[in-house]
Amino acid sequence: MPPHHGGAHMGLSPMNRARLVIFNAALGPLDYRVPEGMAVEPGSVVVAPLGPRQIVGIVWEEERLPASAVPDSRLRPLIGVIPVPPLQAALRRLIEWTADYYCAPIAAVARMVLASGGALRGPATITEYRLSGGAPERMTPQRAAAIDARGGEQATIRELAGIAGVSEGVLRGLVNQGVLEPVEVDCDRPYPRAGADFAVPELSEDQAQVAGRFVVAVEERRFAPFLLDGVTGSGKTEAYFEAIAASLRLGRQTLVLLPEIALTEAFLRRFEDRFGAAPVVWHSSLKSTERRRAWRAIAAGTAQVVVGARSALFLPYRNLGLIVVDEAHEISFKQDEGVRYNARDVAVMRARFESLPVILASATPALESLQMAESGVYEKVELESRFGGAEMPSIDTVNLTEEPPERGRWLAPRLVEGMRERLARGEQSLLFLNRRGYAPLTLCRKCGYRFQCPNCTAWLVEHRLSRRLACHHCGHETAPPLACPECGEPDCMVACGPGVERIADEVAAIMPEARIAVATSDTLNSPEKAAEFVAMAEEGAIDVIVGTQLVTKGFHFPELTLVGVVDADLGLEGGDLRAAERTYQQVAQVAGRAGRGAKPGEVLIQTRHPEAPVIAALAGGDRDAFYAAETEARRHAGAPPFGRWAAIIVSSEDEAEAREAANRIGATRPVLPDVAILGPAPAPLSLLRGRYRYRLLINARRSAQVQDVIREWLGALTFPSGVRVSIDIDPYSFV
Ligand SMILES: [Zn+2]
Ligand SMILES: [Zn+2]
């Protein structure tokens, strides 16, 4: 492994011992000797011996990472330095802050930075294969599948096997016959360059003013958190694109965080139209070679703009100049396993450590963000009207008690009438229901047996399109049984309640001539399928879209003039402490899909509680009233942003073991004036993926040092090895 000389500038006092963060949470930091002639500095990524093995570690400042001192004579020497740029000090501070704030091991956070094992190996090429144009001696179905797959995309043998759904052996056979030919690919070939001035848009006066403020902050390179608050369709993206252009002109990198991969496709096209080249994409389903290429370009500073899911936040940008968090209110920015961080909040911290502007963009900001703007911590910039003169849609409620749907149906007459009119005029309708599959609950018509997940406290959801019963929590799937497992009744299944597939069936029954698309994470499960859906909707090849929260944002279909919210009360059920806010955000977002072109939009909200504050605020278009009422409710409850929450989740495959551990935690709870501790109680999902779960909820005043309290409390306890204790600071999920 060639040595890295990044430490040479440290001059007269080369490090002769090094403290490492190693990727083994059980061990903590370890000290090593730096051999003669090896240059390391804090942030260097190194290889070290651990027992008989070799491990990767990051050199850290000794004084910031307490460990038991080992005398020089007993230190083992480092093996080598990995030839990647050392992690910068600001990133090391971010790692420390994240670990401290979310009560996570520093190694678990650091691991998110080194998110590509392949990137740590030096320069490389790989062999990919593409069709040569020749034909095999003998065609088999597998061979045909391998040749047809995705129009003969170029990829490695293993990836092609995955794409085509055939064995690697089939593909090797095609290589031997010359049907597939090898291509040597430089793993680190540069990305196409984006140009700040490729297609400079005509901005409205409002947009230009907002963009101007961003540009100044980018040029001054100062910590400036912006809350970009603008109604759906007001052109927030165009405004922050100008900030990206400014960052490009200065030769700096930009990170844009998006909540879902499904949104990326529409975003990529807009980006390419504006800047002439696609940005670098980062998300969990990248191929390992794409991941390596992106990571190395990010670390080298040659990736100009990176668009990614939350995990892109911890990458080692060499020269970051701007961070944008789009749809910043989205709860998918909160990670609910491993390090339970909120990417929106950590993005602001990263901007602070690196002295950068950060733009949080949303049409329905989280109350926490509005409060930060109110108190002057964030700078609020507003875009008040829709771009291009489009009007906001008219919003009305349909009281389901007064205007009920026909028996066994879910769409009220007024909504059906509206859809018929749209169909007759060649316009589009969108029905929103945040429930995947056909029905949320399935029972036996004879004995009432309910189909339940064997691993979770959850009903199995029937998916008719894919003919399966599925658990949405653990992924357990089974074919629909031919007979009731309880009473043996054949063909026994009865669907209870609607999912999107059932609504689509109802639309087909009412309007047989309508072309219907179901848009959920099941049907749009790849960027290609999402792109295909968008193209069809734009061409007018779809009359009615039935979708989950996946269709509430990002899409812009000019012919879409009617939005129907099938059940606005759904989100208000259950014990979620942010239920009202989430309902408001979802309905407001989906309503924003209506009337984005020249034609006016209409929104019908089906509800049994039109008088509920959140529904009334939506119908009245009175956002301020909603936020004011919600703010008061939160203040009264001591909920965020006025108080703080944290959760402790105890789980084990053994029910008694989980309960005993939770009770022990409960029995040793600290008694403090500014902290209330509730529980332990069985979690709403008391069985999840085969583990029994108990929860404690901590509600604290803002002044309380919650993390310190929890660390001290739990640090004094030990648990059997089968027990897992997770800490969730600022939780979003209460299941
Ligand atoms: Zn039965
Ligand atoms: Zn399950």
Side-chain angles (χ1 to χ4, degrees):
M1 210 167 287
H4 180 76
H5 297 288
H9 70 270
M10 296 192 64
L12 293 176
S13 54
M15 294 174 70
N16 53 20
R17 50 186 292 157
R19 181 157 294 170
L20 302 192
V21 167
I22 58 164
F23 298 140
N24 181 329
L27 277 179
L30 293 178
D31 289 350
Y32 288 89
R33 182 164 60 78
V34 180
E36 196 81 23
M38 182 188 285
V40 300
E41 61 182 295
S44 294
V45 183
V46 297
V47 180
L50 182 69
R53 293 184 299 126
Q54 296 193 352
I55 54 159
V56 172
I58 301 170
V59 177
W60 220 266
E61 294 92 329
E62 245 176 80
E63 65 279 12
R64 305 189 70 97
L65 206 61
S68 48
V70 178
D72 282 359
S73 58
R74 288 183 42 212
L75 293 180
R76 294 180 73 184
L78 291 176
I79 295 167
V81 183
I82 293 178
V84 295
L87 271 49
Q88 294 171 356
L91 180 53
R92 298 198 301 276
R93 301 296 83 84
L94 182 78
I95 293 169
E96 289 166 357
W97 181 87
T98 305
D100 185 64
Y101 187 87
Y102 292 103
C103 298
I106 199 163
V109 183
R111 192 194 294 275
M112 299 194 288
V113 177
L114 303 187
S116 164
L120 302 184
R121 292 189 284 271
T125 61
I126 47 156
T127 308
E128 294 189 334
Y129 292 84
R130 67 179 175 208
L131 293 176
S132 65
E137 289 159 19
R138 187 171 54 83
M139 190 62 90
T140 65
Q142 285 89 355
R143 286 180 172 176
I147 291 170
D148 288 350
R150 291 228 226 146
E153 182 177 321
Q154 177 174 313
T156 64
I157 290 286
R158 179 191 289 186
E159 287 155 1
L160 285 173
I163 293 165
V166 300
S167 74
E168 294 182 25
V170 170
L171 291 158
R172 299 218 179 274
L174 291 172
V175 173
N176 290 339
Q177 297 193 14
V179 179
L180 287 174
E181 62 183 11
V183 189
E184 284 298 301
V185 178
D186 173 9
C187 292
D188 303 327
R189 61 201 179 284
Y191 289 94
R193 304 291 292 173
D197 302 310
F198 179 78
V200 179
E202 194 83 28
L203 296 182
S204 73
E205 205 170 303
D206 262 13
Q207 284 176 319
Q209 212 218 345
V210 166
R213 290 168 73 176
F214 295 157
V215 168
V216 169
V218 170
E219 288 171 351
E220 290 176 352
R221 200 172 207 164
R222 60 179 162 90
F223 173 56
F226 290 102
L227 177 61
L228 173 54
D229 182 0
V231 296
T232 55
S234 58
K236 295 186 288 296
T237 312
E238 288 84 350
Y240 75 65
F241 270 4
E242 293 317 296
I244 297 178
S247 179
L248 281 170
R249 286 189 192 102
L250 292 161
R252 298 186 196 139
Q253 295 171 289
T254 299
L255 164 64
V256 181
L257 292 176
L258 295 179
E260 321 210 17
I261 306 175
L263 291 179
T264 317
E265 204 56 35
F267 180 88
L268 295 185
R269 275 200 303 167
R270 291 176 79 174
F271 188 92
E272 210 171 332
D273 288 348
R274 170 66 182 83
F275 297 108
V280 176
V281 176
W282 181 273
H283 54 72
S284 57
S285 46
L286 285 186
K287 294 189 286 193
S288 64
T289 47
E290 294 169 330
R291 178 171 283 259
R292 174 210 147 93
R293 183 183 175 201
W295 194 95
R296 289 179 70 91
I298 287 164
T302 56
Q304 297 167 287
V305 180
V306 178
V307 175
R310 58 178 185 246
S311 57
L313 178 59
F314 286 97
L315 298 174
Y317 301 89
R318 172 161 228 157
N319 185 21
L320 196 56
L322 170 69
I323 303 175
V324 178
V325 184
D326 205 349
E327 310 285 0
H329 62 279
E330 277 292 322
I331 59 166
S332 56
F333 283 121
K334 178 66 162 55
Q335 176 150 301
D336 272 328
E337 50 191 31
V339 182
R340 294 167 178 256
Y341 68 97
N342 186 324
R344 177 196 68 203
D345 297 344
V346 181
V348 174
M349 289 313 293
R350 181 155 196 173
R352 196 163 133 186
F353 284 120
E354 302 204 18
S355 295
L356 314 170
V358 54
I359 301 169
L360 309 180
S362 175
T364 52
L367 211 65
E368 284 90 336
S369 301
L370 280 175
Q371 190 62 27
M372 294 295 263
E374 201 96 318
S375 58
V377 181
Y378 294 174
E379 198 177 324
K380 186 166 160 182
V381 286
E382 291 176 275
L383 283 171
E384 303 218 347
S385 59
R386 278 195 158 187
F387 185 60
E391 293 292 314
M392 289 305 285
S394 72
I395 303 182
D396 202 0
T397 51
V398 176
N399 186 340
L400 291 173
T401 0
E402 288 167 10
E403 305 175 59
E406 280 175 40
R407 234 185 115 68
R409 296 213 158 147
W410 313 96
L411 305 175
R414 188 142 54 101
L415 180 52
V416 171
E417 197 44 47
M419 291 167 61
R420 285 211 168 99
E421 284 169 18
R422 285 350 184 260
L423 184 64
R425 293 208 295 262
E427 296 170 10
Q428 291 168 326
S429 304
L430 165 65
L431 297 178
F432 166 68
L433 177 66
N434 208 16
R435 263 188 189 157
R436 293 155 54 204
Y438 187 82
L441 167 64
T442 302
L443 14 112
C444 166
R445 81 174 80 245
K446 186 158 176 222
C447 73
Y449 173 83
R450 296 167 167 212
F451 289 85
Q452 193 180 341
C453 177
N455 313 317
C456 308
T457 318
W459 308 126
L460 290 177
V461 176
E462 184 187 2
H463 287 251
R464 286 207 181 163
L465 294 175
S466 54
R467 293 170 198 277
R468 64 200 167 102
L469 290 169
C471 171
H472 288 176
H473 296 286
C474 72
H476 171 82
E477 283 186 11
T478 160
L482 299 172
C484 173
E486 190 73 18
C487 72
E489 175 80 357
D491 198 16
C492 70
M493 286 171 35
V494 187
C496 278
V500 283
E501 291 179 11
R502 195 172 196 180
I503 298 298
D505 274 8
E506 183 173 331
V507 176
I510 298 167
M511 306 192 300
E513 67 281 28
R515 295 160 300 173
I516 304 162
V518 173
T520 70
S521 55
D522 301 298
T523 59
L524 308 184
N525 55 11
S526 70
E528 291 78 20
K529 284 184 182 163
E532 195 183 331
F533 162 73
V534 171
M536 285 180 68
E538 283 177 351
E539 284 161 19
I542 299 171
D543 300 310
V544 181
I545 300 164
V546 186
T548 56
Q549 46 85 24
L550 204 64
V551 295
T552 58
K553 53 200 173 286
F555 299 115
H556 178 88
F557 304 136
E559 292 299 318
L560 179 60
T561 57
L562 174 65
V563 166
V565 177
V566 176
D567 186 348
D569 308 334
L570 200 59
L572 296 172
E573 293 163 4
D576 188 334
L577 298 154
R578 286 187 179 83
E581 181 182 22
R582 208 169 293 176
T583 295
Y584 184 86
Q585 288 166 339
Q586 277 187 347
V587 176
Q589 290 279 342
V590 74
R593 296 313 106 201
R596 293 174 75 96
K599 297 168 185 166
E602 183 186 3
V603 180
L604 291 174
I605 302 173
Q606 299 199 136
T607 174
R608 271 166 213 84
H609 307 289
E611 74 293 342
V614 50
I615 307 287
L618 282 161
D622 195 347
R623 192 179 100 151
D624 293 348
F626 169 73
Y627 277 117
E630 184 67 9
T631 301
E632 266 330 291
R634 297 267 188 99
R635 197 192 302 273
H636 188 74
F642 305 102
R644 303 190 52 198
W645 283 328
I648 299 173
I649 304 129
V650 185
S651 73
S652 167
E653 289 176 14
D654 183 281
E655 209 279 335
E657 196 178 66
R659 179 165 19 94
E660 274 161 31
N663 284 340
R664 221 143 49 77
I665 293 175
T668 55
R669 76 184 65 209
V671 179
L672 296 162
D674 47 1
V675 178
I677 299 167
L678 313 168
L685 263 169
S686 58
L687 179 64
L688 178 64
R689 296 186 192 98
R691 299 182 70 86
Y692 293 89
R693 306 166 75 241
Y694 283 78
R695 294 184 65 104
L696 293 98
L697 184 66
I698 296 149
N699 184 203
R701 297 224 185 98
R702 286 216 70 86
S703 55
Q705 300 298 316
V706 180
Q707 288 91 337
D708 291 344
V709 169
I710 294 175
R711 267 190 286 263
E712 197 175 320
W713 175 16
L714 298 184
L717 300 170
T718 53
F719 302 102
S721 59
V723 170
R724 204 180 293 154
V725 178
S726 315
I727 300 164
D728 193 352
I729 302 292
D730 307 334
Y732 272 64
S733 163
F734 292 86
V735 296

